Amino acid sequence: MRTDTGRFDVIILGGGVTGLTYARDLARSGQRVCLVEPEDRLGGNQRSWSQGDYTFDIGAFFFTRGGPFLQTFAEVGEMFEDVKPSFGRINPHGAVLTYPVKPRELVRDLTPLELLALPVDLFLSRIRYARMRSAGDFARFYLGNLIYARTGLKGYIERFFSSSDHTVDVDFARKRMRWIADAASLRGRFQRRRVRRVESGAVQACVRPRQGFEALYARIGELLGQDGVTIITGADLQDLQRTPDGFALRVNGQQIQGDRVIGTIPGEAMARLIGLTPIETPPTLDLVTLFARAPERLNTPHGVLFNFTAEGRWKRLTMHSRFYAGYDHDHMSIEITSKDGAAEPVEEHLAAISRQLQATGLLKAPLELLGHSLTGHAYPLYRQGVMAASQRLQAQLKAFGIELAGRQGNFDYIPSADLAVKLVRAQAAARQTPAPDISITKQTTQLPAAPLTSSGLVPPTQGAT
């Protein structure tokens, strides 16, 4: 038990996949770790919502057996269910095709005259958009104007970014839309081969426990407690100060001291924590997730559908009923990105989605809305010029001594738990010294360290609640 002194080797801000991975790795290396999470549960943006026999998700849904996440938390592997996923997309003509896009499908909607003009269009696009300043330039460079306009890709990109494709910085496109470059490159052949291996079962895919993410991360909290990690959930983060020998974090009216601080929460939250003003906040997108039930099974073999049509605001539909036994009809999570998620008319969105699915023959009767969720700061939005502002904020936080990590800490796009774990390992390997260089002159007195007795504390021998 290390809660009697409130002194740790490392304080981790945030209990998502990145923070949890750091906590396990550092604790197993013999360091004293305190993980502080503002929410009342662990797991970050990976959350579930249940009603009756239905469980819906916000966040990454698929995992890989033997992947970095399940290697790190091998004890929870038995909680996952093996699946053979199949991904589809609805094209502008209402046809359901496979996803990711196959090269031969990129040209199927072109007229004979357009097919003749395609080589010239591709050649000119490689010249015109070679400098690639925006997401639109990125897509046109690889696909040309004809394919980009006729396949629904332009609408999909603008739907995901909630912005014109010309206003989104190319760096975001490289992260989020890399499959476009893959579809037009030799590298893409290997990527598509991997997707086929996943769908065929050669690479074993699995999904979160049937009872939802909360059960998964409660178990991971217990495992970290057994590793000796102190976990504080529902934490009121009040301020973070530098001390002569490290950092002092005031949380829930008490003080925790640490040699290092690793930040995985949003940059503006950390800026407020250290009293930084003014705060130059990079823009982000909210994620609105609709939870719906269909009266029957949708007329498609795919469990996940992407919207490549010109209709609607939704970008992805995940039918959880396709991955857990016992359902004769579908229930699903439907995702919509938004600049202001709280203002979205969710019932109108679902009615429009129902009409669209009915028009394409996928659905006979309208969907029923069971609930919805709003996830703020779900995705970084790289408008042109935003990267410079993000880098300035990161530089200020790093100058204070905070080690930034993860999607929110680094203002980065990280689409899977496995990638988050890989980035933790890469960042840890790149770190040359055991602690940041502290240039503040030591004083003869130190700040008092109060015992950690507040509610929300999970002692090392217990689990997350």
Side-chain angles (χ1 to χ4, degrees), residues 243-410:
T243 68
D245 56 353
F247 299 85
L249 174 68
R250 192 156 57 94
V251 54
N252 296 342
Q254 301 185 54
Q255 188 182 91
I256 306 169
Q257 295 191 30
D259 298 334
R260 298 168 56 190
V261 172
I262 297 175
T264 73
I265 61 177
E268 61 267 30
M270 288 185 278
R272 286 192 293 268
L273 203 57
I274 66 175
L276 182 64
T277 55
I279 301 174
E280 194 171 14
T281 305
T284 58
L285 290 172
D286 295 339
L287 176 66
V288 178
T289 308
L290 311 182
F291 309 125
R293 173 175 58 191
E296 73 272 350
R297 291 176 68 87
L298 270 66
N299 184 29
T300 176
H302 303 296
V304 181
L305 293 174
F306 294 84
N307 182 14
F308 275 66
T309 73
E311 300 178 42
R313 292 274 308 284
W314 69 279
K315 66 182 183 70
R316 181 171 60 187
L317 183 155
T318 302
M319 288 173 271
H320 306 288
S321 43
R322 300 297 178 95
F323 305 103
Y324 302 94
Y327 298 101
D328 59 4
H329 57 280
D330 283 322
H331 64 278
M332 64 207 70
S333 296
I334 308 172
E335 299 174 353
I336 299 170
T337 53
S338 173
K339 295 176 183 176
D340 183 10
E344 294 292 345
V346 294
E347 293 185 356
E348 292 180 19
H349 283 311
L350 190 71
I353 294 167
S354 294
R355 290 192 296 270
Q356 182 181 5
L357 296 178
Q358 289 175 288
T360 58
L362 294 172
L363 184 69
K364 294 180 180 178
L367 298 171
E368 177 187 357
L369 182 66
L370 300 180
H372 71 281
S373 174
L374 170 62
T375 304
H377 306 288
Y379 303 108
L381 177 56
Y382 291 168
R383 289 200 189 98
Q384 293 184 30
V386 164
M387 282 304 298
S390 172
Q391 290 166 358
R392 286 192 294 270
L393 177 58
Q394 290 181 42
Q396 291 173 301
L397 295 172
K398 290 177 180 177
F400 186 83
I402 300 175
E403 301 169 40
L404 305 179
R407 176 181 56 83
Q408 299 197 96
N410 276 325

Side-chain angles (χ1 to χ4, degrees), residues 186-204:
L186 182 63
R187 172 188 176 183
R189 296 181 185 179
F190 295 101
Q191 175 69 15
R192 291 187 295 275
R193 184 178 303 170
R194 175 171 174 80
V195 171
R196 288 194 295 271
R197 290 180 66 208
V198 170
E199 292 183 341
S200 67
V203 173
Q204 183 58 62

Side-chain angles (χ1 to χ4, degrees), residues 4-316:
D4 56 340
T5 65
R7 181 80 201 188
F8 299 90
D9 296 312
V10 185
I11 299 171
I12 299 173
L13 305 177
V17 172
T18 297
L20 297 172
T21 302
Y22 261 116
R24 167 149 275 202
D25 287 354
L26 292 169
R28 288 191 162 185
S29 71
Q31 299 191 54
R32 297 168 298 174
V33 178
C34 181
L35 185 146
V36 184
E37 168 56 52
E39 298 291 331
D40 59 3
R41 44 138 193 93
L42 301 175
N45 281 347
Q46 289 192 324
R47 309 193 309 277
S48 297
W49 183 85
S50 297
Q51 183 181 91
D53 293 333
Y54 305 123
T55 299
F56 306 86
D57 293 309
I58 303 100
F61 179 63
F62 296 100
F63 298 78
T64 305
R65 292 283 182 195
F69 180 82
L70 286 179
Q71 286 180 348
T72 302
F73 300 102
E75 300 94 329
V76 303
E78 63 184 13
M79 300 176 68
F80 287 72
E81 301 201 20
D82 293 342
V83 296
K84 293 180 66 175
S86 179
F87 306 92
R89 60 188 172 91
I90 307 175
N91 78 352
H93 306 287
V96 179
L97 307 175
T98 59
Y99 181 92
V101 180
K102 296 177 180 178
R104 64 177 179 270
E105 292 176 347
L106 292 173
V107 299
R108 65 179 297 169
D109 295 324
L110 300 182
T111 66
L113 288 178
E114 287 173 332
L115 285 172
L116 289 175
L118 183 59
V120 175
D121 178 62
L122 291 171
F123 175 75
L124 294 177
S125 295
R126 288 293 174 110
I127 296 174
R128 181 176 180 183
Y129 302 107
R131 300 183 70 176
M132 284 195 285
R133 293 190 177 92
S134 68
D137 292 350
F138 175 86
R140 290 180 177 90
F141 174 82
Y142 285 107
L143 302 176
N145 278 300
L146 286 172
I147 291 177
Y148 186 51
R150 294 295 298 272
T151 58
L153 291 174
K154 184 177 187 295
Y156 181 82
I157 290 174
E158 295 185 336
R159 182 178 294 113
F160 182 88
F161 297 135
S162 288
S163 302
S164 166
D165 62 352
H166 292 295
T167 66
V168 178
D169 194 275
V170 68
D171 286 338
F172 197 6
R174 289 190 178 109
K175 290 177 179 292
R176 180 63 184 90
M177 307 302 295
R178 191 174 65 185
W179 63 269
I180 290 179
D182 290 342
S185 68
L186 182 63
R187 172 188 176 183
R189 296 181 185 179
F190 295 101
Q191 175 69 15
R192 291 187 295 275
R193 184 178 303 170
R194 175 171 174 80
V195 171
R196 288 194 295 271
R197 290 180 66 208
V198 170
E199 292 183 341
S200 67
V203 173
Q204 183 58 62
C206 54
V207 291
R208 53 90 181 144
R210 187 183 184 99
Q211 59 268 47
F213 277 121
E214 281 64 27
L216 169 65
Y217 286 108
R219 176 58 180 149
I220 288 176
E222 294 174 358
L223 295 171
L224 292 178
Q226 294 168 14
D227 290 339
V229 177
T230 295
I231 300 174
I232 305 176
T233 56
D236 178 15
L237 302 179
Q238 295 164 304
D239 64 68
L240 177 67
Q241 298 179 7
R242 290 295 298 266
T243 68
D245 56 353
F247 299 85
L249 174 68
R250 192 156 57 94
V251 54
N252 296 342
Q254 301 185 54
Q255 188 182 91
I256 306 169
Q257 295 191 30
D259 298 334
R260 298 168 56 190
V261 172
I262 297 175
T264 73
I265 61 177
E268 61 267 30
M270 288 185 278
R272 286 192 293 268
L273 203 57
I274 66 175
L276 182 64
T277 55
I279 301 174
E280 194 171 14
T281 305
T284 58
L285 290 172
D286 295 339
L287 176 66
V288 178
T289 308
L290 311 182
F291 309 125
R293 173 175 58 191
E296 73 272 350
R297 291 176 68 87
L298 270 66
N299 184 29
T300 176
H302 303 296
V304 181
L305 293 174
F306 294 84
N307 182 14
F308 275 66
T309 73
E311 300 178 42
R313 292 274 308 284
W314 69 279
K315 66 182 183 70
R316 181 171 60 187

